[in-house]
Amino acid sequence: MAWQGVGCLLLLVLVSCGTDALRKRSKLGLLRAPPLPNGASDPPDVYFTQVLDHSNPTNNQTWQQRYQVVTDYYTDGGPVFIMLGGEGPADGSWLVDSNMVNYAKQYNALMFQLEHRYYGNSHPTNDTSVDNLVYLTSEQALADIAYFVAGMNVQYNLTSDTKWIAFGGSYSGNLAAWVRLKYPHLIHAAMSASGPVLAKVDFFEYMDVVKTSLGTCGQSCVKAIRMADRKINQLLKNKSGQKTIESLFSLCDPIDTTNQNDVWNLLMSFADNFAIIVQYNKDNNGLTITIDDLCEIMTNTTMGSPLVRYAAVNKLLMDLFEETCVSYKYDAMIEQLKETAWSSQAVYFGARTWTYQTCTEFGYYQTSETKQEFFSKDFPIKFFLQQCSDIFGDKFTDEEIYDGAIRSNAIYGGKDLQATRVVYVHGTIDPWHALGVTSTVVPESPVILINGTAHCANMYTPRSSDLPALTAARKQVGELIGQWLQEN
């Protein structure tokens, strides 16, 4: 199962991990690309000559930025819809079978998808060394979009009154709102799905929402998870208990409790079994396991103790992602994330580069620092902050990381984002909605909060099994697009 796509964002990778696990199990918020219909093919890749450093007009270096285009539904005078790439490769299936395609058919739109710099095949520099990553910022990415729009207006002979509408989910949902804020003369409107526009270093609220979402199946499910987690923490205190964990949970390596980072990483990998299913619960994109399935296991007392049931959930996720054992060694993970070559999977699928952006701009670290006593103190904020310096060097201090998040909120406005003609769409099950615009700030930029749906669910093609609220949300977005296309 490939978890590639336009980024729906976020967090730091640091899940249990071989590079395949970084790609497949990631809860970065990554926007998972829709599957291609039978017989369909992706549009071909095209490349745009892009500026390396938009902040320095004396730097004339350029690079080749990947994009795709579909003209099938366009008629003269129609709008342009642009899907913005995020923290992963730009998968062309978004221009083949997604809800944006349905809107393009409705409004006779030209469609583009633009890959984010430093992800997929868009390589501004010869590698991703720390020195080269100075050109990886959201501000540079927004300027890339502006230059691309200006270039396509010329290439396709589009008139000055052509209306561009930006689409994005998760991190690219942020970009959709921010590009409308920063370049309103180029971007007429935007659809921002599941965008965590508030930068926050200690994102403990993520696990709070995970707990609340699991609780929709009943508090007995939450209680069983908490009991299992406490039991694991008890077992870690002695060799016999450690052997029990190694056997029950199919660990790749023996436990060494003198390595605190290993312990934190292991405990987080168990928590992520639940978090990843909550984040993508019934997202309409082929992930077959749901919150209901997890809670059915955790509340089935005939299976054994809460610990045994916790291990059964772990096995379910291992089977889903075709894993033979749980890899959790911290140093091995860090070594993968220190790889700088474009040929590295950790680079190609965005694990290294997105981690860099969390260290410099956003934080988004999904810690267990909540006061709700869910997963206890299994993976504290210092575990995540340390990763920045371990991967990128000593200059990435705690102070620098917090300052980066403060700077991002100062530049874009956090939840007080003042852009007009942006629709913010969130699902109540999705943990990322905690950092998004979920109540109207600007009257011209409405909020759609969909009860019972998960990450970026409105971006996928409708199905008959969709909740009525999700169907209504897609319809409302389409009506807003129609309304905004009539406005100057």
Side-chain angles (χ1 to χ4, degrees):
M1 177 183 294
W3 289 58
Q4 311 167 13
V6 189
C8 214
L9 173 35
L10 297 33
L11 160 73
L12 184 72
V13 302
L14 313 164
V15 302
S16 59
C17 40
T19 41
D20 281 346
L22 286 173
R23 173 167 58 93
K24 294 189 288 188
R25 272 188 180 249
S26 166
K27 58 181 171 58
L28 311 178
L30 195 66
L31 181 62
R32 303 189 304 124
L36 280 172
N38 290 336
S41 58
D42 286 335
D45 293 337
V46 198
Y47 287 85
F48 175 74
T49 300
Q50 185 61 267
V51 173
L52 175 64
D53 185 3
H54 297 282
S55 65
N56 182 3
T58 65
N59 186 337
N60 60 6
Q61 292 176 273
T62 60
W63 57 283
Q64 297 300 300
Q65 186 169 21
R66 180 165 67 163
Y67 71 96
Q68 297 103 18
V69 58
V70 169
T71 62
D72 296 0
Y73 316 114
Y74 179 67
T75 58
D76 287 345
V80 182
F81 295 167
I82 180 169
M83 176 72 81
L84 303 181
E87 71 282 24
D91 195 307
S93 61
W94 284 105
L95 301 188
V96 178
D97 190 35
S98 69
N99 211 48
M100 186 185 76
V101 175
N102 294 334
Y103 298 140
K105 293 176 182 178
Q106 182 178 357
Y107 294 109
N108 303 119
L110 178 63
M111 289 191 298
F112 291 99
Q113 177 173 219
L114 182 64
E115 190 168 64
H116 195 296
R117 57 170 56 203
Y118 286 94
Y119 293 96
N121 289 337
S122 293
H123 305 164
T125 51
N126 61 2
D127 64 16
T128 63
S129 65
V130 174
D131 288 344
N132 282 334
L133 288 178
V134 296
Y135 302 110
L136 173 56
T137 68
S138 57
E139 292 170 278
Q140 296 277 12
L142 294 173
D144 286 344
I145 298 166
Y147 270 62
F148 179 79
V149 169
M152 294 302 104
N153 280 337
V154 172
Q155 183 171 326
Y156 284 84
N157 296 312
L158 302 175
T159 63
S160 60
D161 58 355
T162 298
K163 296 179 173 66
W164 285 71
I165 297 182
F167 291 76
S170 201
Y171 170 50
S172 69
N174 290 0
L175 295 175
W178 294 340
V179 75
R180 167 62 187 157
L181 173 73
K182 191 164 184 178
Y183 299 102
H185 60 294
L186 295 174
I187 301 297
H188 184 71
M191 192 289 297
S192 171
S194 300
V197 294
L198 177 67
K200 192 172 190 291
V201 175
D202 184 0
F203 183 21
F204 66 84
E205 295 91 344
Y206 183 98
M207 285 300 175
D208 286 350
V209 180
V210 169
K211 177 186 175 185
T212 300
S213 297
L214 290 165
T216 61
C217 289
Q219 287 305 306
S220 58
C221 179
V222 174
K223 181 179 179 181
I225 294 168
R226 186 185 294 119
M227 290 174 65
D229 178 65
R230 289 176 179 172
K231 183 63 175 179
I232 286 178
N233 277 277
Q234 291 173 3
L235 291 172
L236 284 169
K237 295 177 181 178
N238 59 75
K239 286 290 185 183
S240 174
Q242 294 161 23
K243 292 292 184 183
T244 298
I245 295 171
E246 292 167 11
S247 175
L248 268 179
F249 291 87
S250 301
L251 304 192
C252 298
D253 298 283
I255 295 172
D256 175 10
T257 54
T258 64
N259 188 324
Q260 185 61 65
N261 288 324
D262 281 356
V263 174
W264 284 332
N265 212 28
L266 176 64
L267 292 172
M268 191 176 71
S269 73
F270 294 155
D272 283 349
N273 287 333
F274 295 88
I276 197 169
I277 298 302
V278 168
Q279 178 168 304
Y280 296 109
N281 185 60
K282 301 177 183 178
D283 72 352
N284 229 13
N285 195 32
L287 191 62
T288 55
I289 299 172
T290 68
I291 292 173
D292 297 335
D293 297 323
L294 301 186
C295 284
E296 183 178 350
I297 293 172
M298 290 307 303
T299 57
N300 185 355
T301 57
T302 66
M303 294 179 64
S305 69
L307 179 68
V308 171
R309 290 173 251 158
Y310 205 61
V313 168
N314 185 67
K315 180 63 164 59
L316 185 69
L317 271 291
M318 288 177 63
D319 289 345
L320 176 67
F321 295 114
E322 300 177 353
E323 298 165 352
T324 57
C325 60
V326 175
S327 176
Y328 66 95
K329 301 298 280 186
Y330 179 83
D331 289 344
M333 177 184 70
I334 295 300
E335 286 306 307
Q336 290 173 352
L337 292 170
K338 289 172 74 172
E339 294 174 0
T340 62
W342 291 111
S343 57
S344 163
Q345 281 199 4
V347 174
Y348 180 79
F349 289 107
R352 174 177 169 82
T353 41
W354 179 247
T355 302
Y356 178 85
Q357 287 194 264
T358 68
C359 295
T360 56
E361 296 190 81
F362 307 122
Y364 295 142
Y365 303 131
Q366 299 151 25
T367 74
S368 61
E369 301 276 4
T370 176
K371 296 179 181 179
Q372 294 194 27
E373 297 184 2
F374 196 52
F375 297 120
S376 186
K377 299 295 182 182
D378 288 355
F379 30 96
I381 183 61
K382 60 183 177 181
F383 171 60
F384 298 91
L385 296 175
Q386 179 184 340
Q387 292 168 22
C388 291
S389 58
D390 285 348
I391 298 167
F392 301 110
D394 291 341
K395 72 177 182 180
F396 290 81
T397 63
D398 295 1
E399 182 179 5
E400 290 294 325
I401 297 165
Y402 279 95
D403 285 348
I406 291 170
R407 180 178 182 275
S408 294
N409 291 330
I411 292 171
Y412 301 122
K415 290 187 181 183
D416 195 33
L417 210 160
Q418 294 295 303
T420 59
R421 284 201 294 261
V422 178
V423 57
Y424 301 97
V425 187
H426 291 277
T428 58
I429 296 291
D430 178 22
W432 290 103
H433 86 264
L435 297 185
V437 178
T438 55
S439 59
T440 299
V441 176
V442 177
E444 299 85 359
S445 293
V447 168
I448 303 175
L449 187 61
I450 313 170
N451 188 40
T453 62
H455 204 54
C456 306
N458 67 296
M459 298 183 69
Y460 299 105
T461 299
R463 292 184 181 178
S464 59
S465 58
D466 288 342
L467 293 172
L470 177 55
T471 300
R474 289 196 184 98
K475 180 181 179 183
Q476 185 178 349
V477 170
E479 291 171 348
L480 284 167
I481 291 172
Q483 173 188 322
W484 289 336
L485 290 176
Q486 299 303 313
E487 298 176 3
N488 295 319

